[in-house]
Amino acid sequence: PTDEIFISHVILRSPLAFYTTIKAKKLVVDLSAMDDIVTYDNTYYEVNGIEVDKGSQEITIFMKSADPTKPPTPISRKKDGDLVFDRAKQSAMSTISYFIPGIGHSWVHFLFPDAVAATVQNDVPRSSVLYNLLEPHTRYTSRINWDALGVRGN
């Protein structure tokens, strides 16, 4: 079984951390980008967000309502009991397992490397040792990433 501490570790030690904010004494994970994912028939992601209490590591999982006009429903072990909470954790892990590689991982290949490549080309003096070390590694970064997006049909 997945416990709260494991989910907290996944949140803090993966690209999911970049989608996490701190509010009061809680880490808040916004998974609302999943609302835009087109899935197969009868397949859907129910979790809209997760909050982790920084002190106790207790988590609250926000499940999407069947009625899109209603806000997500918070599920916690204390309030809803073990059975309901365990099912919510399963849904949370399913959502996270798609979110990290499907949505959160793109920054590794596109945002960060392109920013470094542009910085090397535009801001680092060409006579510097840093430029000579980085330029061979970043020379084709933007072009490769642009071509990769084209392969995906974007």
Side-chain angles (χ1 to χ4, degrees), residues 47 66 89 110:
V47 177
K89 284 191 307 184
F110 299 103

Side-chain angles (χ1 to χ4, degrees), residues 5 12 34 60 66 76 84 88 118 123 147 152 154:
I5 293 173
L12 293 174
M34 293 296 290
T60 302
S76 67
V84 171
D123 296 334
D147 286 347
R152 291 180 34 207
N154 293 338

Side-chain angles (χ1 to χ4, degrees), residues 32-92:
S32 63
M34 293 296 290
D35 294 343
D36 298 330
I37 300 300
V38 177
T39 61
Y40 296 108
D41 290 341
N42 299 318
T43 303
Y44 52 93
Y45 294 99
E46 303 175 295
V47 177
N48 195 286
I50 302 170
E51 288 183 356
V52 181
D53 184 285
K54 288 171 60 176
S56 66
Q57 298 292 312
E58 291 178 16
I59 65 173
T60 302
I61 299 167
F62 291 85
M63 305 292 287
K64 287 192 269 187
S65 173
D67 180 352
T69 64
K70 293 186 178 180
T73 303
I75 306 289
S76 67
R77 184 180 302 282
K78 284 182 182 176
K79 180 176 73 67
D80 299 291
D82 289 339
L83 182 62
V84 171
F85 185 69
D86 285 344
R87 289 183 180 162
K89 284 191 307 184
Q90 290 171 347
S91 291

Side-chain angles (χ1 to χ4, degrees), residues 82-117:
D82 289 339
L83 182 62
V84 171
F85 185 69
D86 285 344
R87 289 183 180 162
K89 284 191 307 184
Q90 290 171 347
S91 291
M93 288 306 296
S94 174
T95 301
I96 288 170
S97 69
Y98 181 85
F99 189 95
I100 291 170
I103 295 173
H105 189 69
S106 291
W107 72 272
V108 173
H109 295 288
F110 299 103
L111 179 63
F112 180 70
D114 280 341
V116 170

